[in-house]
Amino acid sequence: MIDATAPSPPVRASRRRTHLDHLLVFAIIIALWSLATWHFGTYWVSSPWAVAIRFVETVASGELLRHAGYTLSEAALGTLIGGVPAVLLPLLLRRHPVVVAILDPFMVGGYGAPKLAFAPLFIVWFGIGMESKVALVVTVVFFIVYFATLNGVRALDARLVQTAQILGASERHVARSIVLPAAIPSIFAGFRIAVPYGIAAAVIAELISANRGLGYLVQNGAMNFDTTGVFVAVLMATLLVQAAISIMNAMEKRLLRWRPPSEPWLETGT
Amino acid sequence: MSPLLEIKKLGKRFPARHGREPSPWVLQDLSFSVAEGEFLTIVGPSGAGKSTLLNIIAQTDTASAGEILLGGASVTTRDPRALKPGIERRIGYVTQDDNLLPWRSTIDNVLFALEVQGKLDDASRARAEKLIQAVGLAGFETYYPHELSGGMRKRTALIRTLVYDPPIILMDEPFAAVDAQTRTQLQADLLRLWEMGRKTIVFVTHDITEAIALGDRALVLSKQPSRIAAEHTIPIPRPRNVKDIFALPGFAATYEKIRADVQ
Ligand SMILES: Nc1ncnc2c1ncn2[C@@H]1O[C@H](COP(=O)(O)OP(=O)(O)OP(=O)(O)O)[C@@H](O)[C@H]1O
Ligand SMILES: [Mg+2]
C-alpha cells in the first residue's frame, strides 16, 4: 500500500538538506561563541563546553527542570488567562462594531504600552509569588491575541455568513461554525507571536523579584558572577520557547488540514 | 390562488461610489410572479442583474424600490440589518460562486444545513449520500473544497441546498462550470428530482437551450436597467429528454423567439 502521508523523495531530500544547513549554522554559532570565550575569558563569557556540562548536571539533579517548570506554569497560565478572553471578545463583539470602536483606543494603548515596565508594579500589587508573573504574561498575551483575532474576524467573507444563514444557521451556529474556523489562522498567528513574548515576560518578572524560576537563576548567576549559570538558564528558556512553538505547529497542522498547502519551498523542515 | 412568490416593480441601485455621480439603476420596474411548483427560468446577458435579482429575493441584499411578496405576505425591507437571508428557511439559494465552507469536507458541507436545522438523522444522511452519488461525487466525501475541481464544487453547492428540501430554490447558473456532457446529465437529474418533489424553482442562466430544456416558463431580462423584456411559455411537454431537446417539436421555434428577445 502507498503511504500517502510519507513525503515524496524531493521533499525528503530537501528536508535532509535543511537539517544539514541547521547543523552548519549551529557549528558557526558554537565557533563564534568559543571565539568570544577565548577573547574575553571564561569569567565574562562562559564556554560552550562548560555550559553543556552544567546543563546536563542541573537537568540530572532536577534543579533546572524544577525552575523551568515553574516558569513554564506561569507562562502557560498567563497565556490561558490572557488568550481565552482575547479570542472570545472579538467573536462576541462581531455584531457590535460600536463597542469595538469604543474600546479601540484603549486596546491600542494597551497594545502599545511597554508592559514589561509594569513588572515592578505587579510585584508590589501581587507579591513576589507566581501571581505577579502570571499577571504580566496575561497583559502581554492578551493584546497581541486580541488584535490578531480581531483582524481574522474582520477579514471574514460576509458571503459565507449569508450562505450559512440561508441554510438555517442561527447566530450561535454562525459564531461557532463560520466565524471561529475562519479566524483560526489569525488566532494562531497571534499566539505564535504572543507565546514567546509571554515566556520572556515570565522570565523578566522573575529577574526582578523571585526565588524560583529561570529568571531567578539568571539573576542569581549574575550576582555570583557565574556566567555559566546565566547561560544555562537562558538556554533553557530558549528551549521552552522552541518546545512551545513545536506544539503550536503540530496543533496548527491538525486544525488547518482544510487549507491548501503553502508553497513547498516556503515549508520549514520541521 | 395567489402566486407563491411575487415581485412587484422591483428596483435596485447600488450606493454611489465615492466621488462619483449616483450609480445607475441596475433593475427597474421589474415585475413577475412564480406559481407554486413552477420551474421558472430567467435568461439575460452578462451584467443584466440576474444575480442581483436573486440576491434580493434571497434577502442577502436590499431592494431600492418595489416589493416582494412571499405566500401573499410582504417580506420587503430597505434596512440591510433587517434582512433575513433565506427568510426562515423557505428560500434555498445556489449562488453563482459556490461559497462552500473551506474547513468542511464535501460530506460535511452537504450536511451543514441538516446539522444547523437539527434534522440530522439516519434518513437524512442516507438522502445526502444518495445525492452525492447522483451528482457523481461518490468517493470524494472526505475531500476539502480546495481539493475539488470547480465543477465538483458547484455540484456540492447544489446538493447542499437540495438536501434540506426548501420549498423555493433559487439557482444562479449552477451548471455554468461543467462540461456539456456532465451538464446534460445534471440537468436531467435536476428535472428528475424536481418532478418527484415539484419544488418551486427560479433558475438563472444565460444559456437559452438550458432555459428551454428546464423551464415551464422563461423570462428574458433586458440590458440595464433591466426589466422583463419578454416572457415565453415553453410548449414542450414533460417528461422531457434533455439529451434530445433540440429534436423535440417546438424547440426550434421557441429558441428563435427567445434569441430575438435577448439583445
Ligand atoms: N456590490 C455591488 N456594488 C455595485 N455594483 C454592483 C454590485 N454588484 C453588482 N453590481 C452591478 O450590478 C450589475 C449587475 O450585476 P449582476 O452580478 O447582477 O449581473 P449578472 O446578470 O448576474 O451577470 P452574470 O451573468 O455575468 O453573472 C453590474 O453592472 C454590476 O456592476
Ligand atoms: Mg450573475
Side-chain angles (χ1 to χ4, degrees), chain A residues 78-95:
Chain A
T79 303
L80 208 67
I81 297 175
V84 170
V87 167
L88 290 182
L89 209 55
L91 293 184
L92 296 176
L93 293 181
R94 184 177 72 89
R95 306 268 288 167

Side-chain angles (χ1 to χ4, degrees), chain A residues 162-248:
Chain A
Q162 288 174 337
T163 302
Q165 287 171 333
I166 288 175
L167 294 170
S170 64
E171 192 45 43
R172 237 190 49 236
H173 287 127
V174 169
R176 212 186 45 214
S177 304
I178 312 292
V179 186
L180 180 62
I184 290 272
S186 309
I187 294 172
F188 261 106
F191 275 106
R192 208 176 262 288
I193 299 171
V195 165
Y197 271 112
I199 293 174
V203 171
I204 286 173
E206 289 165 353
L207 261 177
I208 292 171
S209 171
N211 46 20
R212 273 182 291 180
L214 294 176
Y216 162 76
L217 283 189
V218 170
Q219 172 65 12
N220 201 40
M223 260 181 2
N224 297 324
F225 300 103
D226 171 20
T227 50
T228 308
V230 175
F231 273 81
V232 164
V234 172
L235 179 65
M236 192 63 222
T238 311
L239 290 178
L240 283 188
V241 171
Q242 289 288 351
I245 288 177
S246 300
I247 290 171
M248 282 191 291

